[in-house]
Amino acid sequence: MTELSEQITIAASGDAVWAVVSDPLAVAACIPGATLTAADAPGTYAGAIKVKFGPTAVTFTGLVSLAYDDAARRCTIEGRGRDGRGASNALATGTVTVMGSGPATLTVQGGFQVSGPLEGFARTGGVHLARALLADFARNLEARIAPAEAAPAP
């Protein structure tokens, strides 16, 4: 499994960041190429993400299970998916923690594994792809929060 450990500073309060991070549909809206819909079991969602591995763009579809600890502002994630052609499988696990009051720090620790024809691409470029997705997520998260934090209290 390829490991990933990142810390991202978000120009917003920790409470505002957690409000978005603890909403699975809001998180999916901040990740380019991702979609999410509620599944049958509590805390489980059906989803898809389109990613580019080298010259190949693929869409992985599958399930993600989420568990939240509001007091610690932490989310545990496990996702499993299969590419549209059914030849490659992906597994991702991790923990996302929101720390600080403002600016907040988003800590992401976890790992991912891709098997099948895309395994080589994932092994050599997967961490770079994951970092790029996290950077896009952070920018979109800040943009989503900025108007809400700037609004005057009624």
Side-chain angles (χ1 to χ4, degrees), residues 22-97:
S22 62
D23 177 349
L25 298 178
V27 169
C30 291
I31 301 172
T35 59
L36 201 62
T37 57
D40 293 336
T44 302
Y45 297 82
I49 187 164
K50 184 176 182 177
V51 294
K52 189 170 180 178
F53 287 98
T56 305
V58 296
T59 300
F60 285 94
T61 57
L63 294 175
V64 63
S65 298
L66 305 168
Y68 294 98
D69 180 344
D70 289 319
R73 294 194 303 203
R74 181 176 27 246
C75 174
T76 304
I77 304 162
E78 180 179 299
R80 296 178 182 273
R82 185 174 200 100
D83 79 85
R85 291 177 240 136
S88 293
N89 294 305
L91 167 66
T93 61
T95 302
V96 176
T97 307

